[in-house]
Amino acid sequence: MADGSQAHRRPLVAGNWKMNLTHLEGAVLAAEVAAALPSPVPVDVVLCPPFTALQAVGDVLAAAGGEVMLGAQDLHWQERGAFTGEVSAGMLAALGCRYVIAGHSERRGLFGETDEMVARKAAAARAAGLIPIVCVGETLEQRRAGRVEAVILGQLEAVLAAVSPDAGLVIAYEPVWAIGTGEAASPADAAAVARLIRDRLRQAGPGAGDVRILYGGSVTAENAAGFLSEPDLDGALVGGASLDARSFAAIVEAAVKP
Ligand code: PGA
């Protein structure tokens, strides 16, 4: 069932730069992105550079009018202490971040993040006033085994045990097999998983209609409109194509709902 109250959710397009660009290169790209977007920016737009570029990118975005928001790619759930190499939600908020990605499949797959860790990160982000973009998604093996629903609901379960579903939560559906492969899901398949997510959120709380659900995985300027015109998808989490200002701006344009 499509969510009838979709109209009140402002679309969101987030660029996940991953481990790319120095702070100097990031400042250049941020300025290009700001210049490529119309003003006022018609949807919520967030850039998530590496930690080392947050300050520089934040400065550029602020100087460009502050319409494009700053986000981080990860965080630790503790506020401070002996956690060498980690960064807390409070540190990100102090730098001007508004969003933070939690539980990206690269964190889960390459760095052993569990559902429980992701849930703690989401809760810590919210406690610091940040909006977590929590990633969920199945592997190709899981999809072939018919386990999409079980995997997605399992990943969601942990998050919902830690945070209530409302406008301060974003869920990104990112099938692992579609990330960085050039093989995006079909818009219909992505929307079907978004509906599954929405239905589960509804059981968890009255604010479920305010949670934005994004699609991520090989989104490009060419295929973005297919996803973003789906009423059940509220935006996109963009990796590779976010490293090119013109491609990213075209994706933002495709997110504007009539
Ligand atoms: P991609 O990455 O757009 O390069 O597939 C998406 C993501 O990992 O968030």
Side-chain angles (χ1 to χ4, degrees):
M1 184 183 74
D3 183 61
S5 55
Q6 184 263 340
H8 71 268
R9 291 191 297 272
R10 189 169 156 87
L12 168 65
V13 177
N16 174 11
W17 291 2
K18 308 194 179 183
M19 195 173 76
N20 293 294
L21 309 184
T22 66
H23 68 294
L24 300 172
E25 294 162 340
V28 171
L29 178 58
E32 287 173 359
V33 168
L37 295 175
S39 184
V41 179
V43 301
D44 283 352
V45 178
V46 182
L47 299 183
C48 302
F51 291 135
T52 47
L54 283 171
Q55 170 97 58
V57 168
D59 287 349
V60 168
L61 296 179
E67 286 190 82
V68 177
M69 294 177 279
L70 188 65
Q73 298 174 16
D74 190 22
L75 75 161
H76 193 270
W77 56 85
Q78 297 284 352
E79 280 176 42
R80 68 182 66 78
F83 303 99
T84 301
E86 296 293 329
V87 172
S88 74
M91 294 171 183
L92 299 174
L95 269 177
C97 288
R98 304 273 298 279
Y99 289 80
V100 61
I101 299 169
H104 189 279
S105 69
E106 285 150 18
R107 301 293 324 165
R108 294 175 187 263
L110 301 173
F111 302 98
E113 286 193 12
T114 62
D115 289 342
E116 200 218 341
M117 291 160 75
V118 175
R120 292 174 83 172
K121 290 180 177 205
R126 300 242 299 193
L130 301 173
I131 297 179
I133 300 174
V134 179
C135 302
V136 298
E138 82 286 356
T139 63
L140 191 55
E141 204 178 24
Q142 290 165 332
R143 174 162 280 264
R144 287 191 174 140
R147 297 192 53 233
V148 175
E149 191 169 325
V151 170
I152 301 299
L153 292 179
Q155 290 172 340
L156 262 188
E157 220 44 60
V159 178
L160 290 173
V163 302
S164 54
D166 57 32
L169 176 66
V170 175
I171 303 287
Y173 169 54
E174 296 208 309
V176 177
W177 47 271
I179 295 176
T181 60
E183 260 200 57
S186 74
D189 281 353
V193 175
R195 280 195 294 281
L196 171 78
I197 292 169
R198 180 84 56 203
D199 287 345
R200 176 63 191 91
L201 294 176
R202 278 215 195 83
Q203 294 162 13
D210 295 330
V211 177
R212 285 173 293 181
I213 301 176
L214 315 181
Y215 168 75
S218 296
V219 174
T220 62
E222 290 72 36
N223 68 15
F227 296 104
L228 299 169
S229 58
E230 286 283 345
D232 294 301
L233 294 171
D234 305 310
L237 180 54
V238 185
S242 72
L243 295 171
D244 178 81
R246 281 179 45 196
S247 299
F248 188 65
I251 294 168
V252 170
E253 193 145 319
V256 179
K257 303 266 176 179

